[in-house]
Amino acid sequence: MGDSGRRAAVSWRERFAASRAVRLAVLGACALAIANLAGPERPLDVERRIEALLAQMTLEEKFGQLQQLSGSRPEYLELARRGLLGSTLNARGAATLNELQHAAVDGSRLKIPLLFAFDVIHGYRTVFPIPLGEAASWDPAAAERSAAIAAAEAKAVGLHWTFAPMVDIARDARWGRIAEGAGEDPFLGAAMARARVRGFQGDDYSQPDRVIACAKHWVAYGAAEAGRDYNTTDLSERTLRTVYLPPFKAAVDAGVGTFMSAFNDLNGVPTSGNPFTLTQVLRKEWGFDGVVVSDHESVLELIPHGFAADEADAARQALPAGVDMEMVSRTYATHGPRLVKEGKLAVSAVDEAVRRVLRIKLRAGIFETPYADPARERATLLKPEFREAAREIAARSMVLLKNDRGVLPLPASIVRLAVIGPLADDRRNMMGNWTGDGRKEDVVTVLEGVKAAVSARTQVAHAAGAVVDVKLLAEPEAPDDPAARALLDKALGAARAADAVVLVIGESGGMSGEASSRTSLDLPGRQLELAQKVIATGKPVAVVLMNGRPLSIGWLAAHAPAILEAWFPGTEAGHAVADVLFGKVNPGGKLPVTFPRTVGQVPIYYNYKNTGRPPNEKDNYTSRYLDVHWTPLYPFGHGLSYTEFRLSNLRLGATPISATGTLDVSVDVTNVGQRQGDEVVQLYLQDVVASVTRPVQELKGFQRVAVKPGETRRVAYRVGPQDLGFYDREMKWVVEPGEFRVRVSNSSVGGLTGSFEVR
Ligand code: BGC
């Protein structure tokens, strides 16, 4: 080829390149126009818009979408303008969020809006009971309602995404985060998970009063060894699938938009770098197509786990394992582009993660409605009907553990009432942990609630008696500490002068939740001594407990006339407690978690295995303790009422049934007392002999029913293969032939029993 020929070839190539650039630019502009078209999202449109955006993104912008940062620092405005930020957590309020959003939408090349996340766990401004408390309502409709209200408030301040529900099963009361979940049982946990996802998201999380939910923490975080937060978990795949996965699966089935990978190491592979749980189970088996966000720096923490050598290695492992978005740490953004260029990270894996993030942004409608409206914020927060719902749900969550001699309900006409205890008038602690934007000035304390409920002639005295916010690691106070003595004496004086005492004791709000594990389940500080002395006055004493975990309250169980478990009830705490104390509401909650006699029994749960030597009073060489009875203090499912219920007429449908068949079970529940009340009728099953050992019982059905005095209601269940099956030795789900026992009851102990056969 001569010179002229070479020149011609070059110029042809240049012309081609130039025209290709023009074509690409035109295509890009069209794609961008399509991508930013407003309008309702059909799935095809969403997918087209995703591809149109992806086609134009630089590698750095792709990793930008995968970055979530905390708060609202000035640096983030710059990152948003450069397309290097996908989401924030903890930034709040219309003004702050709109400033960030303008930087992304008006300032960035591709105008992709930011996704704003926050931990809206049990309410945003109107605070509901802690999730463990709400689970004690055994009322998924109540949980759905409170999540819906939390979503409406959160959306009104510009948030799109909540890091809830936490659906971790917890069998260890030492673990502080037991407060954030639904307790120890996978069946109840799954029901609550479904309800909360529905409540947060509705049918469509782009609606003005809904947010994207997040099932966390994936997975088995609640099995932390020794109940110590963030600790290692090591469990069989069977236990994982049988106990820990069902609430997550229920969340997926309910359409949850996102998952959060956890902090813990699971069987040697940290869950934020675990392809088996993140990809095999979640995506391939369950078909989840939403986003997985890491927990707070959990990608970076692959280094101290001893799983990643450095930051780049952490990113190289976490992203292809299935963590799409990185919370707070920046290993993806810092090292991702280089890893791709060096061939250490497949761009296809990055593109998939970006697609998922863009998909939830498009589905959430934030391209169309990126900004928050401050007027909406003012009009929505803490509406009277939200407070009313908080009061009702808090009262529905309370569990009457004990009520001797009918101490409760108290007559509203009582003349002298003493409201004692460090939590009685404590505005802050009644909301518990993770309180969103809950403000203590909004809280009704128990003292206030009681005063509002009693008659005009009732005199209400108050004394704290002890402190609840004690330093758990501090040296115990000297018994003769004069300040403590004065507090106690004042309370005893009030108790002696009263006709009845309400004693409000428990934990501080911060003693449960994240990083709040305890080795003792006792009442902190000198509260037990306070209770002992107040009860020794001989007055009728109703103990109201506020706590985020089961407590070992053996002494109270033996000596207090009445105990009401109120958990942390939230904004309307005082009204709700008073509603129950004075009988406006008849308590109907049940324990979603076993109360041990002592911390030494932990982990203790109702669905245990029988062992080869089931515990036996008369035989030492059985599975029991020398010093404490093996049974719990209060079993799972326990809860009393001001009325009395009787179960009768347990009926089972035609049996035997086939392995794919169903069985109808029904029972009559009669209110044989004097007051209207709710009973939670529970159904438990046991597969008596199987190819792998099965628990002595498993909850497979429950209904909370309201029954009038003298009324009988029939409660019906249908038991099917999903209730009868288990994972066999090959980890296949099977229903094996043989005998099954069924028990219908008002707790995990007692009730009516029957049996049937599967053939
Ligand atoms: C917690 C998560 C929470 C996240 C963001 C973490 O420390 O484990 O539950 O969603 O912080 O606040």
Side-chain angles (χ1 to χ4, degrees):
M1 196 188 286
D3 254 13
S4 60
R6 202 172 287 127
R7 260 199 316 275
V10 168
S11 66
W12 176 84
R13 269 196 206 104
E14 277 165 357
R15 276 203 312 276
F16 180 79
S19 72
R20 188 166 169 267
V22 171
R23 280 200 315 273
L24 274 180
V26 171
L27 263 179
C30 295
L32 188 59
I34 296 171
N36 289 316
L37 269 184
E41 293 306 330
R42 289 197 313 275
L44 206 61
D45 294 339
V46 170
E47 297 311 311
R48 253 191 234 124
R49 289 173 74 178
I50 291 171
E51 295 310 320
L53 285 166
L54 199 61
Q56 302 173 77
M57 293 171 85
T58 64
L59 209 43
E60 285 70 18
E61 285 168 339
K62 289 179 182 176
F63 281 103
Q65 286 304 308
L66 308 184
Q67 178 71 64
Q68 182 180 65
L69 293 172
S70 177
S72 57
R73 302 197 208 137
E75 179 207 0
Y76 301 173
L77 294 172
E78 183 51 25
L79 289 175
R81 277 186 212 109
R82 290 167 55 206
L84 302 181
L85 183 60
S87 172
T88 67
L89 74 154
N90 295 333
R92 280 188 292 152
T96 307
L97 296 181
N98 287 348
E99 190 189 7
L100 278 164
Q101 198 65 294
H102 274 293
V105 173
D106 307 334
S108 76
R109 203 170 68 85
L110 297 175
K111 308 188 178 316
I112 302 173
L114 300 170
L115 203 53
F116 297 128
F118 191 63
D119 290 275
V120 182
I121 307 297
H122 51 114
Y124 180 72
R125 178 71 182 269
T126 309
V127 179
F128 288 83
I130 54 166
L132 184 65
E134 226 174 54
S137 71
W138 292 58
D139 182 1
E144 181 172 343
R145 197 162 151 226
S146 86
I149 291 171
E153 290 190 337
K155 195 62 162 284
V157 302
L159 296 166
H160 310 121
W161 182 13
T162 176
F163 297 134
M166 184 192 104
V167 303
D168 292 308
I169 294 298
R171 292 172 153 186
D172 191 328
R174 292 171 296 182
W175 190 54
R177 302 200 80 170
I178 196 170
E180 296 174 51
E184 73 188 35
D185 182 59
F187 189 86
L188 179 61
M192 288 294 161
R194 261 191 301 276
R196 290 187 168 128
V197 170
R198 273 200 305 264
F200 286 126
Q201 297 192 163
D203 294 330
D204 170 2
Y205 52 65
S206 74
Q207 293 301 303
D209 53 357
R210 304 287 179 167
V211 293
I212 308 168
C214 180
K216 71 184 188 184
H217 307 79
W218 183 245
V219 57
Y221 179 40
E225 280 180 4
R228 187 157 54 83
D229 208 0
Y230 318 118
N231 205 3
T232 301
T233 58
D234 202 317
L235 29 109
S236 71
E237 188 180 339
R238 180 170 299 105
T239 302
L240 179 70
R241 287 190 186 267
T242 310
V243 178
Y244 293 88
L245 297 200
F248 286 98
K249 178 63 164 55
V252 170
D253 292 343
V256 73
T258 66
F259 260 54
M260 185 184 291
S261 69
F263 289 125
N264 56 295
D265 172 351
L266 173 64
N267 300 337
V269 184
T271 47
S272 285
N274 192 319
F276 172 66
T277 50
L278 290 164
T279 297
Q280 173 57 32
V281 176
L282 183 58
R283 304 235 181 245
K284 296 200 175 139
E285 291 180 24
W286 294 357
F288 175 69
D289 74 345
V291 167
V292 175
V293 63
S294 77
D295 203 341
H296 199 279
E297 299 203 322
S298 66
V299 172
L300 186 65
E301 290 172 14
L302 296 179
I303 303 172
H305 270 297
F307 188 73
D310 52 27
E311 285 193 17
D313 194 26
R316 187 190 60 77
Q317 297 203 64
L319 195 141
V323 176
D324 301 311
M325 183 181 273
E326 183 175 4
M327 187 195 289
V328 177
S329 52
R330 305 189 191 193
T331 72
Y332 288 13
T334 312
H335 305 280
R338 183 174 49 80
L339 288 170
V340 171
K341 283 173 200 145
E342 289 172 356
K344 293 180 180 153
L345 188 60
V347 75
S348 56
V350 180
D351 286 352
E352 258 321 297
V354 175
R355 280 190 186 96
R356 292 180 192 129
V357 171
L358 294 176
R359 194 174 290 124
I360 60 164
K361 288 187 173 184
L362 286 160
R363 284 185 184 161
I366 59 171
F367 281 80
E368 288 72 34
T369 321
Y371 302 111
D373 172 1
R376 198 180 169 81
E377 173 171 334
R378 283 189 297 274
T380 309
L381 299 183
L382 214 62
K383 281 190 198 170
E385 63 261 40
F386 293 174
R387 291 195 77 126
E388 199 43 51
R391 176 174 183 164
E392 211 178 286
I393 292 169
R396 277 180 95 69
S397 302
M398 292 179 197
V399 183
L400 185 63
L401 294 175
K402 179 178 179 187
N403 193 19
D404 278 1
R405 293 173 272 125
V407 166
L408 288 177
L410 297 168
S413 57
I414 191 163
V415 180
R416 289 166 307 173
L417 184 64
V419 181
I420 294 177
L423 285 157
D425 198 31
D426 180 324
R427 232 166 265 291
R428 186 169 50 84
N429 280 315
M430 277 182 209
M431 292 189 285
N433 212 322
W434 290 112
T435 49
D437 191 31
R439 303 188 181 176
K440 60 180 194 168
E441 62 268 24
D442 300 334
V443 171
V444 180
T445 70
V446 173
L447 181 64
E448 290 164 340
V450 163
K451 282 184 176 165
V454 290
S455 69
R457 70 191 196 108
T458 306
Q459 298 155 29
V460 180
H462 164 63
V467 275
V468 68
D469 278 303
V470 291
K471 288 206 182 65
L472 295 172
L473 266 180
E475 290 293 306
E477 281 170 52
D480 53 357
D481 173 57
R485 172 71 42 209
L487 266 182
L488 183 63
D489 286 348
K490 186 173 172 221
L492 292 180
R496 282 190 202 104
D499 301 321
V501 179
V502 172
L503 181 63
V504 195
I505 52 180
E507 295 182 300
S508 72
M511 282 176 193
S512 57
E514 188 177 353
S516 301
S517 294
R518 295 181 62 197
T519 62
S520 162
L521 302 178
D522 293 343
L523 288 163
R526 298 176 71 166
Q527 295 181 95
L528 180 59
E529 184 190 353
L530 169 68
Q532 288 170 334
K533 298 215 157 118
V534 168
I535 289 167
T537 61
K539 302 285 172 161
V541 178
V543 174
V544 175
L545 284 178
M546 291 190 187
N547 42 287
R549 55 159 62 80
L551 294 178
S552 45
I553 45 164
W555 190 92
L556 287 180
H559 299 99
I563 308 174
L564 179 69
E565 174 56 77
W567 315 103
F568 291 113
T571 307
E572 285 287 322
H575 285 143
V577 167
D579 287 344
V580 175
L581 289 178
F582 296 102
K584 188 168 158 199
V585 172
N586 188 350
K590 302 278 182 177
L591 292 180
V593 64
T594 303
F595 270 45
R597 295 169 191 272
T598 148
V599 71
Q601 290 179 303
V602 168
I604 182 170
Y605 45 89
Y606 84 94
N607 47 355
Y608 57 87
K609 302 279 187 79
N610 207 30
T611 82
R613 293 187 177 194
N616 178 339
E617 299 273 7
K618 299 190 189 93
D619 187 351
N620 263 345
Y621 286 84
T622 60
S623 184
R624 42 177 256 187
Y625 299 103
L626 285 178
D627 52 349
V628 167
H629 201 272
W630 67 84
T631 53
L633 183 64
Y634 291 116
F636 175 83
H638 168 76
L640 306 173
S641 166
Y642 295 154
T643 187
E644 210 182 305
F645 298 100
R646 191 154 303 149
L647 297 176
S648 61
N649 286 327
L650 174 64
R651 282 193 212 134
L652 307 186
T655 141
I657 60 166
S658 75
T660 52
T662 58
L663 178 83
D664 288 324
V665 178
S666 64
V667 72
D668 287 341
V669 54
T670 306
N671 184 341
V672 294
Q674 306 301 317
R675 288 168 177 265
Q676 149 111 22
D678 286 5
E679 180 62 299
V680 180
V681 189
Q682 305 159 37
L683 176 137
Y684 296 87
L685 290 182
Q686 180 192 15
D687 185 347
V688 183
V689 178
S691 60
V692 300
T693 57
R694 305 288 298 123
V696 293
Q697 58 175 336
E698 291 174 296
L699 181 73
K700 294 296 176 185
F702 65 88
Q703 285 177 44
R704 179 168 175 154
V705 285
V707 195
K708 297 193 192 84
E711 188 192 7
T712 296
R713 288 187 59 178
R714 189 134 198 90
V715 180
Y717 313 85
R718 177 159 293 169
V719 168
Q722 72 285 1
D723 307 307
L724 303 171
F726 62 90
Y727 290 99
D728 71 5
R729 292 186 219 172
E730 277 72 52
M731 290 306 295
K732 281 208 307 286
W733 181 262
V734 290
V735 177
E736 288 184 353
E739 186 196 353
F740 284 76
R741 290 192 190 128
V742 57
R743 206 164 51 73
V744 176
S745 149
N746 60 4
S747 94
S748 59
V749 174
L752 305 175
T753 55
S755 73
F756 62 94
E757 198 190 328
V758 171
R759 219 179 252 166

